[in-house]
Amino acid sequence: MTTKTVQSNVTEVLARFAATLTYDEIPKRVREYCKNLLLDTLACALAGHQGEETHQIAALASGLARSQESSIIGGDRLSLAGATLLNGYLVTAVTMCDVHRPTLTHVTPEVVPPALAVAERDARSGRDLLVAIAVGCETTTRVGLGLDYLAFRSRGFHGPGVIGPFGAAAAVGRLLGFDPETMAAAFGLAGSQAAGTFAAWGTPTVKFHQCRGALSGLMAALLAQQRFVATRQFLTAPDGGLYHSYSNGGRPEAVTEDLGDRWELEQIGLRLWPSASTIQGMITAMFNLVERHGLNPDRTRKLRISLGKTAFDMHGGFSNYKGKFEALLSAHYAAAVILHDRRLSLAQFEPERYNDPTLVRFAAAQVEVRLDPTLVGVQALVEAETVDGSTSAVRCNDPKGSPEDPLSRAEVEGKFRTYAKARLSDSHVEEAIGAVSRLEEIGSARSLMDILRAGR
């Protein structure tokens, strides 16, 4: 097959995969990983009620429509669109959700909320929901692979709002029973709404890209269901196609290479700790340093954090952080609070903790974050100098939760318990964990959503 033929067929092949994939065609390990992704997503959404701006997105979501057919994770009910938007924001509100590292894209905030909303509305089975999540996550990551991420990023684009709508449309389309032609049209409608750039970095708008991507994909699928006419070659169209407009033509062949045999969604990493995904390597190294060498703040004169260019540019400038969101982005604060508290949860990102004068001073004066061009991606080196002049250091290449060092099901369940208890009763926490673990046995997704609503 010629390169030109491959490029012209990319959307068609991906649409056929998304429309026809069956439960039995998904390897067991992939199905189990999708359950990890779902449970982690729910944990993040429940934690997201503590987000500083969550009430603002909730107000927007409640104003989109007045129906109440869809559940809010840890909340009440809203419209299909409102629930998709608010649940999408909840997942990413406190900077604790997944990331597909090859494209620095958060995937589950776009894919899972619309899938849950439609599966609940239509009383689809847990097995159907599981397939939809697999389809949506694989579609998102595959579309991202085809972008040539470095070229895409050099133009300032942010993945969740650009490639996320494709995965959301795929998940919803799968639940709605699309044929390949309708799925391809949904991709065209999803791509027509692709948006989001790094000009939003450092503001809550960068998190809005995720929930807007979820809503865009939902609208794309619902409009395709009405047989709305759209291009079925959006990815590779020479005039305005995603890969030509958002990148340098991309690598379309990567989208379909070993599709269905090699699962790119397995490259989606999870986060054990809140804080930005790009400094999870630093956080992992910091915990290792504290545990191995018994560091304490009274005996530590200086912490030196070395990061690669991307991580340094994004997180090295918050020595004097302001507010929760900047604290979540700050390498200085994360290092300081781990040394002082020996833990990192949302409790460390409450105002009474991050505004503590001792931590504020330590982060600004005794944590040095510097660029090391030999480090790449999330790699980090953490060095501690003690008051007696001795030094110790730990390097991390693969952070906890990465595909190279993945979270176990027990660790994901622990994360869920930690953040669910503020919104759900103890019995419902355990019911939710059990429901996800046996997702394919659930007759209707409504039973899962009933468990997840607060006050039930």
Side-chain angles (χ1 to χ4, degrees):
M1 185 178 291
T2 65
T3 301
K4 185 175 181 180
T5 302
V6 170
Q7 292 186 0
S8 66
N9 287 342
V10 163
T11 309
E12 176 185 338
V13 172
L14 189 61
R16 186 183 305 113
F17 167 82
T20 63
L21 182 72
T22 66
Y23 174 86
D24 291 332
E25 291 172 330
I26 305 173
K28 182 178 180 180
R29 71 173 195 285
V30 177
R31 297 197 299 261
E32 292 303 310
Y33 195 62
C34 286
K35 293 178 186 178
N36 281 3
L37 291 174
L38 174 58
L39 190 60
D40 185 83
T41 301
L42 298 176
C44 293
L46 289 162
H49 286 276
Q50 300 178 47
E52 280 185 309
E53 317 84 16
T54 295
H55 69 286
Q56 296 169 311
I57 300 297
L60 169 63
S62 66
L64 286 177
R66 294 303 177 186
S67 59
Q68 293 186 318
E69 67 269 26
S70 301
S71 296
I72 301 303
I73 301 166
D76 196 359
R77 292 181 182 272
L78 286 176
S79 68
L80 188 69
T84 295
L85 189 72
L86 181 53
N87 281 333
Y89 195 83
L90 286 172
V91 176
T92 192
V94 292
T95 317
M96 201 165 58
C97 64
D98 69 285
V99 63
H100 178 241
R101 294 198 182 279
T103 59
L104 284 183
T105 295
H106 307 297
V107 177
T108 59
E110 301 97 89
V111 171
V112 174
L116 289 176
V118 171
E120 179 184 21
R121 185 196 69 176
D122 296 349
R124 299 304 298 265
S125 71
R127 180 173 292 209
D128 292 335
L129 176 60
L130 182 57
V131 173
I133 291 171
V135 162
C137 291
E138 190 68 10
T139 295
T140 304
T141 54
R142 288 283 180 162
V143 171
L145 284 184
L147 272 170
D148 187 348
Y149 181 75
L150 291 178
F152 171 81
R153 177 65 184 90
S154 71
R155 300 185 183 200
F157 290 113
H158 185 219
V162 175
I163 65 178
F166 291 92
V172 173
R174 186 66 183 79
L175 288 165
L176 296 177
F178 283 2
D179 58 31
E181 184 176 359
T182 307
M183 188 69 80
F187 289 168
L189 291 162
S192 294
Q193 300 174 77
T197 74
F198 270 91
W201 180 249
T203 75
T205 302
V206 80
K207 297 183 289 186
F208 181 70
H209 294 168
Q210 280 86 281
C211 65
R212 185 63 177 84
L215 183 59
S216 294
L218 173 67
M219 291 192 295
L222 295 178
L223 194 53
Q225 187 182 31
Q226 301 303 315
R227 302 296 175 183
F228 195 83
V229 176
T231 177
R232 289 166 173 77
Q233 297 294 340
F234 188 89
L235 295 176
T236 54
D239 186 8
L242 189 78
Y243 294 154
H244 288 285
S245 298
Y246 290 76
S247 185
N248 56 2
R251 300 185 298 111
E253 66 281 359
V255 178
T256 56
E257 184 178 6
D258 299 324
L259 183 63
D261 294 323
R262 183 186 61 77
W263 288 81
E264 184 61 25
L265 67 80
E266 293 183 288
Q267 298 304 306
I268 298 174
L270 302 179
R271 276 183 268 188
L272 188 58
W273 308 287
S275 207
S277 61
T278 318
I279 56 173
Q280 294 293 304
M282 183 219 81
I283 292 169
T284 302
M286 190 67 208
F287 272 112
N288 288 340
L289 186 65
V290 168
E291 291 165 5
R292 292 178 191 175
H293 299 279
L295 293 180
N296 65 69
D298 293 336
R299 301 287 297 169
T300 304
R301 176 181 291 140
K302 195 84 170 177
L303 289 176
R304 296 184 177 88
I305 313 295
S306 298
L307 302 173
K309 179 171 172 49
T310 297
F312 177 80
D313 288 347
M314 296 175 72
H315 304 289
F318 294 102
S319 58
N320 296 297
Y321 52 87
K322 305 295 182 184
K324 180 181 289 189
F325 188 45
E326 286 194 5
L328 285 162
L329 299 181
S330 172
H332 293 80
Y333 176 71
V337 78
I338 291 170
L339 178 64
H340 283 75
D341 292 2
R342 284 170 165 69
R343 63 193 297 260
L344 192 66
S345 71
L346 285 182
Q348 277 66 48
F349 293 97
E350 290 302 316
E352 58 269 21
R353 194 67 192 116
Y354 62 71
N355 285 331
D356 179 270
T358 299
L359 278 176
V360 171
R361 286 193 300 270
F362 194 98
Q366 290 175 257
V367 179
E368 176 188 350
V369 180
R370 54 192 182 184
L371 172 65
D372 183 342
T374 68
L375 299 174
V376 296
V378 297
Q379 292 177 343
L381 176 67
V382 178
E383 301 170 277
E385 178 187 340
T386 61
V387 293
D388 61 8
S390 64
T391 61
S392 53
V394 171
R395 175 182 170 128
C396 177
N397 291 325
D398 300 309
K400 185 67 178 175
S402 66
E404 295 80 11
D405 187 12
L407 299 187
S408 67
R409 176 67 58 81
E411 287 173 318
V412 179
E413 290 178 358
K415 179 178 174 179
F416 182 85
R417 290 187 178 97
T418 296
Y419 296 109
K421 62 186 179 183
R423 307 293 300 185
L424 306 177
S425 68
D426 290 345
S427 62
H428 283 104
V429 169
E430 297 307 317
E431 282 185 48
I433 291 172
V436 172
S437 70
R438 59 178 190 278
L439 188 60
E440 53 269 87
E441 301 173 19
I442 294 176
S444 169
R446 290 177 182 173
S447 62
L448 173 62
M449 300 312 293
D450 284 345
I451 296 169
L452 290 167
R453 284 201 308 280
R456 296 285 295 176

